[in-house]
Amino acid sequence: MGKLLWVLVIFLVIGGYMIFKGLGEPDLNDPANKKTFIKEFAKWLGQLFKSSKATVGAAAKQEWLPRVNKTNLTNETNKNR
């Protein structure tokens, strides 16, 4: 679990750095710039959450178990009686 946490933290730091660079490396000591950065970071996190939710939802709807031949199922049921 510890490694997963570190991967998540590194991912968020890299995303924050990319947002910072994309904003033109603003001075974060200025409250207006800090507010803009926080808004953009929060917007990115929301977008990330929505995308993850959609991906997990689509994966959950998939048929993951193998199809079983119904003929074999019938034979197995008869053997157990």
Side-chain angles (χ1 to χ4, degrees):
M1 185 67 176
K3 289 181 183 179
L4 181 62
L5 180 63
W6 278 109
V7 169
L8 180 63
V9 167
I10 291 170
F11 180 75
L12 293 175
V13 168
I14 291 171
Y17 178 75
M18 291 176 69
I19 292 169
F20 178 75
K21 285 293 204 177
L23 291 173
E25 299 184 27
D27 177 20
L28 293 181
N29 290 326
D30 180 18
N33 289 340
K34 190 181 291 188
K35 186 175 180 181
T36 302
F37 174 77
I38 290 171
K39 276 185 178 179
E40 290 299 317
F41 190 77
K43 199 183 314 183
W44 174 66
L45 285 178
Q47 195 176 31
L48 186 64
F49 179 74
K50 284 181 186 177
S51 297
S52 297
K53 184 178 169 185
T55 301
V56 170
K61 291 177 184 175
Q62 297 296 314
E63 185 65 42
W64 292 99
L65 299 175
R67 294 183 187 254
V68 178
N69 187 341
K70 290 184 180 185
T71 306
N72 290 342
L73 245 184
T74 305
N75 290 340
E76 288 293 321
T77 305
N78 291 335
K79 287 181 186 177
N80 291 335
R81 288 187 186 174

